[in-house]
Amino acid sequence: MPTFPLTLAIITHNEADNIARCLDSVPFAAEKLVVDSGSDDDTVAIARAHGARVVRQDWLGFGPQRNFATTQCTHDWILVLDADEYLSPELAAELEQRLPQLMAGDAPAAYLRRSSIYMGAPMRWYRPAVGERMARLYHRQRARWSDARVHESLRFDGPAPTLRAAFNHNNNPTLPHKQLKVLRYSELKCRDWLDKGKPVRMWQAPFVFALAFLKDYVFRLAFMDGWRGFMIAQTAASYALYKRMRYYEMVNNPESVARAAAVLTRHQIDR
């Protein structure tokens, strides 16, 4: 496969189990960049062994960390993957065909589709896990990541094409992985709310869980994926509710912000 003047950019922290597969799935990238926030496993060594240049950067939050990675790339065109994601052979072949025309044009970005593997098997019906459209390929002079600590998005103006084939996401391989992510993402999201002075609306709490569960389980077709679909809908609804409870605590007990940060850091789930 030919190489293209494109950088694969990945942000990592303790991703030794995933990073090799992610890097190896993009053989056409002229540069592979890993921005690591202090891994204490073999992530860095494995990344280098698989052809990546590694840059060390303390954790800034998802949006700022991705923007920092953008500044470290050699090439203007950048493909972003998480360490637990990897290109399918079909998408790699499609990119090989379409990249020359895309890179020669003036499009700011391109959308890729993501297919999720949950509890060891692909989801078949749950809509966010089957062909979810995500902007992951972009020109750094025409697009920029939002500064959100979590749930960041790529911002750009103008139309962007969508590729047909999907990349894969090994999403939360166990329920403990998911629960730890809920703690981490909730903390980051609530700090964003705190910075913006978002009003506390605990009166919504009794409805949040039920509505979030209904949205995922029924309208997003999670029920079609059996008990795995039920578990996805339940954990999504729990996340929606927990964020609001945690934000209430931050506002009404400000010292809980630092105390929670200390315990999350101690258990290495703060980034």
Side-chain angles (χ1 to χ4, degrees):
M1 182 175 290
T3 59
F4 297 97
L6 172 138
T7 297
L8 168 64
I10 309 165
I11 59 175
T12 61
H13 181 256
N14 289 345
E15 294 286 357
D17 291 340
N18 296 313
I19 189 62
R21 179 180 57 195
C22 180
L23 289 166
D24 291 348
S25 74
V26 191
F28 53 80
E31 178 185 46
K32 298 178 183 182
L33 172 72
V34 168
V35 175
D36 188 77
S37 56
S39 294
D40 54 16
D41 63 3
D42 292 330
T43 298
V44 170
I46 294 171
R48 287 175 175 153
H50 286 260
R53 176 168 62 92
V54 179
V55 175
R56 173 73 163 82
Q57 172 60 49
D58 291 340
W59 184 243
L60 303 170
F62 280 98
Q65 196 82 351
R66 293 201 195 280
N67 282 325
F68 172 81
T70 296
T71 69
Q72 302 301 301
C73 294
T74 300
H75 302 289
D76 285 335
W77 277 99
I78 300 169
L79 171 65
V80 164
L81 293 176
D82 290 335
D84 60 356
E85 299 170 342
Y86 54 99
L87 298 191
S88 65
E90 295 79 10
L91 179 54
E94 184 179 358
L95 282 165
E96 181 186 3
Q97 293 177 352
R98 297 186 62 178
L99 274 173
Q101 181 180 2
L102 178 66
M103 298 173 76
D106 57 3
Y111 289 99
L112 308 182
R113 297 191 181 277
R114 184 171 75 172
S115 178
S116 292
I117 299 165
Y118 184 67
M119 291 188 174
M123 299 299 288
R124 299 299 185 188
W125 294 95
Y126 177 54
R127 303 320 302 163
V130 182
E132 179 183 16
R133 204 172 70 126
M134 313 184 80
R136 291 295 192 86
L137 177 63
Y138 63 100
H139 190 290
R140 65 176 165 188
Q141 301 300 325
R142 305 169 193 164
R144 185 182 187 279
W145 293 95
S146 65
D147 289 321
R149 289 186 176 95
V150 69
H151 302 315
E152 73 287 4
S153 60
L154 190 65
R155 306 290 178 83
F156 54 88
D157 295 320
T162 300
L163 279 74
R164 295 183 299 276
F167 67 98
N168 296 311
H169 179 209
N170 191 20
N171 181 27
N172 302 311
T174 70
L175 284 176
H177 283 83
K178 177 61 178 179
Q179 295 306 315
L180 291 174
K181 184 176 283 188
V182 164
L183 288 175
R184 177 191 184 194
Y185 281 20
S186 296
E187 205 69 14
L188 294 171
K189 190 63 176 178
C190 289
R191 289 181 194 174
D192 277 347
W193 288 348
L194 202 62
D195 290 347
K196 295 175 183 177
K198 178 185 170 83
V200 176
R201 298 189 176 100
M202 277 302 293
W203 62 268
Q204 296 176 343
F207 311 103
V208 164
F209 181 94
L211 292 174
F213 182 86
L214 183 68
K215 178 181 72 175
D216 276 355
Y217 193 64
V218 177
F219 296 107
R220 290 181 168 177
L221 304 183
F223 74 94
M224 297 286 288
D225 277 304
W227 285 114
R228 290 187 305 140
F230 175 85
M231 293 175 196
I232 275 191
Q234 191 277 336
T235 52
S238 295
Y239 171 55
L241 177 59
Y242 177 77
K243 280 187 298 187
R244 286 155 178 82
M245 295 191 300
R246 177 65 181 123
Y247 185 58
Y248 174 88
E249 180 182 33
M250 282 185 174
V251 171
N252 288 277
N253 181 20
E255 71 175 26
S256 72
V257 177
R259 296 187 68 178
V263 72
L264 291 171
T265 299
R266 188 160 64 247
H267 292 283
Q268 296 188 344
I269 55 176
D270 63 324
R271 52 188 167 179

